[in-house]
Amino acid sequence: MKTIVIIPARMASERFPNKPLAKINGIPMIERVWRQAIKSNVGKVYVACSEKEVFELIGNIGGMAIMTDPNLPSGTDRIHSAISKIQEIDKIESIINLQGDMPLISPKDILKVNEPIQNGYSMGTLATNLSDKEEKNHNITKVKIKWREEKHKGDAIDFYKKPKGILKNIYHHVGIYSFKPSTLNKFVNLPPSTNEKNLKLEQWRALDGGIKIGITFVENVPVSIDTKEDLIKIENIIKNTNDKN
């Protein structure tokens, strides 16, 4: 399946300004994410950015970056804007939206997000096990899954953050997506749904718009970086891993 990976990146994060260029043990975060995507060998990797600093960094390490409008409302919109500048897009069967703040994501999991597309869905994402403690965490996005093949192939039927006190068929959502190009185009042209606005979860735009989201199970949740404290946590994980090797 001909696939591309696009990593949206913007410097104007309210909680962590200049986040893409924040160094993790000397290497910028966006570079670490880009390197994990390259290791997956799933297809060409692009960074969709809105600042020349990121554009130049990716170019200097041999990567491909695409400038986009800094005023775009979301990473998904940034990816949609970027594909209009990719010449071979008419030959692409899957577009992977890889978040730019997951520097430790496994290359194998990047590959796995393509499985729903291979299984006939037009949009896919990942999920992993959810602990009782995580279920109570208002910051964690949960997904309810109707499995077609246990922990392999399933339909996402609910996304939420506020705890509901149930664990059956509830999993920890991992925010990486795959789209058929036509579905990505449909998605960004749909108006935000009532559920999306009330729950502040973009996934509901797809579900309410009649787009089925396929789920593939993965073993772990990659730590994402939203704050400087998260960055320190990642640095310690990398240091401990290096010390053991």
Side-chain angles (χ1 to χ4, degrees), residues 111-124:
L111 285 169
K112 279 195 169 186
V113 79
N114 243 357
E115 289 184 12
I117 305 298
Q118 293 165 339
N119 288 330
Y121 294 88
S122 61
M123 180 176 174

Side-chain angles (χ1 to χ4, degrees), residues 15-30:
R15 285 192 288 178
F16 195 161
N18 304 323
K19 184 165 72 168
L21 296 184
K23 290 189 176 180
I24 304 171
N25 293 346
I27 300 174
M29 185 189 313
I30 191 66

